Structures are given as structure tokens and as C-alpha cells.
């Protein structure tokens, strides 16, 4: 059985929020899952349990660095 290694999500989604999604897919439920939360309010979401927070106006290099950090090589 395969599981995703990384979840990249926005905090605000149409039907629910990214915090709900992160809570539903906690690492103890999906072994080794890393989560990157994209948000316009990075200072307000530090306690949501994401592996990393990416400000909405991010540079591609910042995203690439996080992907290299969290994805298996």
C-alpha cells in the first residue's frame, strides 16, 4: 500500500479549510506525511500542525527548497 509523502494545500479551500485537511491526515494516520500550508496569513497559523508554512506570495525557490527538504530522494 502506498501513501503520499507530501501534502501541499492552501489554508482556504472552497468546501473546507486546509487546517481541517491537515488534522484529518495527521502523520500518525498517514506515516511520514509532510504538510506544507500555503496562506496569506502565515503568522496566524503556526499552531495548525503543518510541517512548513509558505506565505501566499512565495518565490518558486522557496517552494523548491521545501520540496527538496520533505520529499524522498
Amino acid at each position: 500500500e502506498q501513501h503520499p509523502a507530501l501534502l501541499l494545500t492552501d489554508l482556504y479551500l472552497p468546501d473546507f479549510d486546509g487546517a481541517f485537511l491537515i488534522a484529518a491526515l495527521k502523520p500518525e494516520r498517514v506515516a511520514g506525511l509532510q504538510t506544507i500550508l500555503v496562506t496569506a496569513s502565515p503568522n496566524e497559523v503556526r499552531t495548525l500542525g503543518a510541517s512548513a508554512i509558505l506565505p501566499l506570495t512565495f518565490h518558486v525557490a522557496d517552494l523548491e527548497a521545501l520540496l527538496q527538504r520533505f520529499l524522498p530522494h
Side-chain angles (χ1 to χ4, degrees):
E1 184 176 335
Q2 293 184 340
H3 294 285
L6 178 76
L7 169 68
L8 174 64
T9 185
D10 195 306
L11 179 60
Y12 300 107
L13 300 170
D15 296 324
F16 52 89
D17 64 30
F20 173 82
L21 186 58
I22 289 172
L25 297 173
K26 287 189 176 194
E28 57 268 11
R29 297 179 116 175
V30 181
L33 179 67
Q34 301 296 322
T35 54
I36 300 174
L37 183 62
V38 180
T39 178
S41 306
N43 293 328
E44 297 177 18
V45 296
R46 296 273 176 217
T47 61
L48 294 180
S51 305
I53 306 295
L54 193 61
L56 187 58
T57 56
F58 61 87
H59 296 280
V60 173
D62 295 333
L63 176 58
E64 288 174 339
L66 287 172
L67 293 175
Q68 287 179 1
R69 177 177 161 197
F70 292 127
L71 288 177
H73 294 92

